[in-house]
Amino acid sequence: MTRFEVVRDPLWNNIRLEPEALALVDTPAVQRLRYVRQLGHAFLVYPGATHTRFEHALGTYHLARRVLTQLEEVEGRRADPGEGLVVRVAALLHDIGHYPFSHALEEAGLPHHEDLASRHLTTGPLAAVLEGLGVPAPKLLPLIQGKSTLPVAGIVAGSLDVDKLDYLSRDATMCGVPYGVIDVDRLLTSLTLADGRLALHAKGLAALESLLFAKYQMYRNVYWHHAVRSATAMFKRLVRRTIAAGRMTAETLAVATDDGLIHELEQHDPTGLAGALRDRRLAKRALDIAGTDLPAQTATWPATDPDVLQRVEERLAREAGLGPDELFLDFPAKPGMLDVTIPVVGRTGGAAQHIGLPRVAAELHRSAQRLRVFVMKPVKIEAKRIIDLVTTDSP
């Protein structure tokens, strides 16, 4: 008899783990994800947001299994056993290279977590288990990094992948907000294969549009909440100072856990930011401007070039009479948040042509954005000065 375990999950109720998944879950690399919170510093605003990458990995695996079963039972497509296994394993391990504290360290200039997956998949007990399963890293990485040409690759990385279905639902549930509620069952039963790729039946278009709007709402109200962004900005500065001083490296950060990293940062912190974060003494808003109140064209460097951003912040701090680690400029961007490329069965073109949100994606992105300046001490910040900065490519 095949051995399997059932894990109780607050979101999906029962998650069944087959022997292959159990062998992977019991490796140190996967167990580390138990100690990496999904939403970084969001727990400082939403106390329930202490769920982890481990829970999310199990949920993503569960949904991948459901999609594969649905394609087989409803669509009559019997997947190649090896193909099904590699998809399930990729879903389980898609965040294996994730840093502590959500995406803050990527914003601070470290490599993206998808690029770090190779290190975890090719060394240690995890690599040994994968070899034993016949699913080595070269088979998994293209799926995890969104580069696979498999027909079912969109299950793991795509416009309607199981990663999004789990994290939006899980984040909303654990934060206690209604914004991320989506019709997962309708979406899963609307998936099919067409022209060699994952596709959507037209009956699922309304649910897909709801998912995209839920994503917009979660960015606006949770991921980009002002206190979450203040804590994230402080944390990024703290880590960058620590790396610059040679006390930690990008390599050690890549395998750290949330609590382990905070402990290390607190050992020697001339900025005082580690203690401030621990005690929730967050930088306050000196300026907060809606993206819709800004010129249509703004520069990309506040969200994409942490070196330029820090130089600008330090200059603004000097002008305001503050210390170099007492002012933070924050203007996050996610221009592709409403991108959707999945084809629709029986319709000409893709889903973007048949739902309304992508046509107003740029405006919704601007609506979600906020240009903020956070300060550790009360000072006056001139709005025109900051707007002029973020509308030039050479600040």
Side-chain angles (χ1 to χ4, degrees), residues 378-395:
V379 294
K380 182 175 178 58
I381 300 294
E382 183 185 357
K384 183 178 183 304
R385 171 84 168 102
I386 306 303
I387 293 172
D388 288 345
L389 279 171
V390 301
T391 52
T392 179
D393 291 327
S394 303

Side-chain angles (χ1 to χ4, degrees), residues 215-221 224-225 289-292 331-332 334 337 361-372:
K215 191 176 182 183
Y216 156 77
Q217 288 275 48
M218 288 295 285
Y219 270 95
R220 181 168 181 167
N221 295 290
W224 290 349
H225 185 282
I289 303 174
T292 48
F331 192 37
K334 187 78 172 179
M337 70 163 60
E363 195 62 21
L364 284 172
H365 178 251
R366 292 181 68 215
S367 176
Q369 279 187 298
R370 308 288 301 194
L371 171 61
R372 297 175 176 125

Side-chain angles (χ1 to χ4, degrees), residues 225-227 229-231 233 283-287 322 326-330 372-376:
H225 185 282
H226 67 89
R229 292 306 304 174
S230 173
K284 304 302 182 184
R285 288 171 289 177
L287 188 70
L322 296 173
E326 294 184 326
L327 182 146
F328 312 94
L329 188 151
D330 188 60
R372 297 175 176 125
V373 176
F374 300 108
V375 293
M376 300 300 291

Side-chain angles (χ1 to χ4, degrees), residues 152-173:
V152 289
I155 296 174
V156 179
S159 297
L160 189 51
D161 57 46
V162 290
D163 175 30
K164 294 182 184 66
L165 294 179
D166 185 85
Y167 84 66
L168 287 170
S169 302
R170 191 172 300 277
D171 293 350
T173 298

Side-chain angles (χ1 to χ4, degrees), residues 159-160 194-195 197-202 204-206 208-209 212 338-359:
S159 297
L160 189 51
D195 299 324
R197 61 184 296 198
L198 197 68
L200 186 74
H201 283 292
L205 283 172
L208 175 58
E209 187 164 18
L212 294 173
L338 300 181
D339 286 351
V340 56
T341 58
I342 192 168
V344 180
V345 174
R347 301 279 185 94
T348 302
Q353 296 175 251
H354 302 288
I355 57 178
L357 283 181
R359 289 191 287 273

